[in-house]
Amino acid sequence: MKPFLSKLIGYFGFIFLIALLLQVFLSYRIQDKIISDNNPSEVSSNKNAELLFLGNSRCSMHFDPAFFATNYSLRCANLGINGHHDLAMATLQLQRFMMANKAPKYVVLNFDPFTSVGGSTNKSNFVLKDEFARYAFFPHDKDSLYANYFKFSLAEKYLPLYALFKYRQFRNCIFIKNTNDYKTFGYQKKDQYWDTLVPNNERFLKHKYFKKSALPSISIALSALNTMCVRHHIKLLCIQTPVHQSVYDTVLYSATGTLCRQLKIPFIDVNTPYFASHSKLYLNANHLNTYGVGQLNLFLKKDPVFNHFITQKP
């Protein structure tokens, strides 16, 4: 019996060693490489950016860093992540960036009724968790922020290859693409036009807006982010990018501006009649297409609040 157990232990020990060596090799192989479409964190052009854009897909699709780099002579990076409309992720992105770079001079946060508080210890929104499995194994330093945010289990953190296979990222680590829209364009560029004749889920979008009862907790989280910015001599600006009039809510889209004014954070609302009524600007009811992004960026270039913000020293 003992020889059998010894062989069995030796067998599994050998398998574990092979898996560990392969995990170490893959971790080294994908370091600073892009293996997914929706993660801006590994784009080399993000290094030491002076202007950061933070938020969810309404950030990642709406701000073209090249436009602001050209017009304001700043190094810019869009760190917006699809589906993560919570302030916890925006704060994490800023923290993680500063762990590997100088603190930026300016931060623009996409802030609107889709915003929530979130949290690293009480979180239900795990959108795109599979694309962040690359950070699960033995996370350290800045990668531990993602590992904790997405609540990777002990097995996912300490069993080699487990997270990569569980979240189907092993193949991506072998066949590295090392490109995505963030690297090619600086943001998630969408050229398509909204086909308003096709059935859509517009009526469900309003269900994703925050409730007025959530405003106190959102205010606390936004204030904490602003305090972090002040501590690192970063200027924070909140911008409410446009939605089509079919999903606009006057009360909630006014509440965001009121909250920012209470916290003395500069705020710009781009929901003008022009943006609200022209469907040609949109990919869908709450995302602009490339043409709409161009119009948004031109709007900001002419906006006195934005120009005061971006031309004043932190």
Side-chain angles (χ1 to χ4, degrees):
M1 188 65 178
K2 289 184 178 180
F4 172 75
L5 289 176
S6 297
K7 290 181 179 179
L8 189 64
I9 293 173
Y11 172 77
F12 282 109
F14 178 74
I15 295 298
F16 181 85
L17 179 61
I18 294 299
L20 179 60
L21 291 174
L22 186 54
Q23 173 73 68
V24 171
F25 167 74
L26 291 177
S27 296
Y28 176 79
R29 176 176 167 77
I30 65 176
Q31 188 175 2
D32 298 326
K33 299 293 194 306
I34 298 168
I35 67 171
S36 60
D37 291 327
N38 298 290
N39 184 358
S41 302
E42 307 307 329
V43 178
S44 59
S45 61
N46 290 345
K47 304 303 182 185
N48 290 319
E50 299 166 286
L51 169 61
L52 293 185
F53 297 95
L54 301 176
N56 62 356
S57 60
R58 286 170 43 75
C59 168
S60 68
M61 295 183 189
H62 287 177
F63 298 109
D64 178 1
F67 176 88
F68 297 95
T70 299
N71 285 275
Y72 296 97
S73 300
L74 293 170
R75 294 187 300 275
C76 307
N78 190 323
L79 299 184
I81 297 180
N82 285 348
H84 290 277
H85 46 262
D86 52 292
L87 292 169
M89 174 57 93
T91 302
L92 181 157
Q93 287 290 80
L94 179 57
Q95 289 175 322
R96 190 176 188 276
F97 178 85
M98 291 192 297
M99 291 176 75
N101 303 275
K102 297 178 181 178
K105 295 178 180 178
Y106 311 97
V107 165
V108 169
L109 174 71
N110 188 89
F111 184 65
D112 54 39
F114 289 101
T115 304
S116 66
V117 174
S120 59
T121 59
N122 182 19
K123 190 78 179 63
S124 59
N125 180 10
F126 295 140
V127 176
L128 300 177
K129 183 175 181 177
D130 56 333
E131 295 196 16
F132 289 82
R134 61 179 296 165
Y135 306 107
F137 184 71
F138 268 94
H140 59 89
D141 298 335
K142 56 189 176 70
D143 292 345
S144 65
L145 296 176
Y146 282 144
N148 293 332
Y149 175 91
F150 286 103
K151 292 184 181 177
F152 287 111
S153 67
L154 289 176
E156 292 163 350
K157 288 181 179 180
Y158 301 115
L159 288 181
L161 301 183
Y162 179 62
L164 295 183
F165 277 111
K166 180 178 179 180
Y167 297 101
R168 301 180 182 181
Q169 295 299 303
F170 182 80
R171 180 180 176 84
N172 289 344
C173 294
I174 297 294
F175 303 101
I176 298 176
K177 57 190 303 181
N178 205 30
T179 187
N180 58 17
D181 274 1
Y182 290 102
K183 183 173 183 178
T184 305
F185 306 110
Y187 73 112
Q188 295 192 303
K189 187 172 182 284
K190 305 295 179 183
D191 294 327
Q192 303 92 327
Y193 285 84
W194 183 19
D195 187 348
T196 56
L197 299 179
V198 174
N200 52 64
N201 296 321
E202 293 170 37
R203 65 183 184 278
F204 297 115
L205 280 175
K206 288 188 177 182
H207 295 302
K208 296 182 178 181
Y209 290 163
F210 58 58
K211 306 299 181 185
K212 292 190 72 174
S213 59
L215 282 171
S217 59
I218 291 174
S219 177
I220 292 172
L222 181 59
S223 178
L225 175 59
N226 187 44
T227 299
M228 178 192 298
C229 289
V230 171
R231 187 166 62 246
H232 289 91
H233 308 288
I234 302 168
K235 293 183 64 177
L236 174 65
L237 168 69
C238 290
I239 297 181
Q240 188 162 248
T241 58
V243 295
H244 189 260
Q245 59 191 6
S246 59
V247 295
Y248 186 78
D249 185 303
T250 303
V251 173
L252 296 183
Y253 276 82
S254 299
T256 49
T258 299
L259 192 154
C260 286
R261 285 189 290 274
Q262 291 171 346
L263 296 176
K264 298 181 179 180
I265 299 173
F267 176 81
I268 299 173
D269 187 359
V270 192
N271 285 278
T272 65
Y274 170 74
F275 281 99
S277 60
H278 287 78
S279 59
K280 67 179 181 180
L281 301 170
Y282 291 88
L283 173 71
N284 50 44
N286 66 318
H287 292 101
L288 300 172
N289 56 27
T290 303
Y291 176 68
V293 169
Q295 295 302 300
L296 166 65
N297 292 337
L298 289 173
F299 175 94
L300 292 175
K301 183 181 178 182
K302 299 175 183 178
D303 185 83
V305 175
F306 185 81
N307 281 288
H308 178 77
F309 166 79
I310 209 71
T311 56
Q312 297 297 308
K313 293 184 178 179

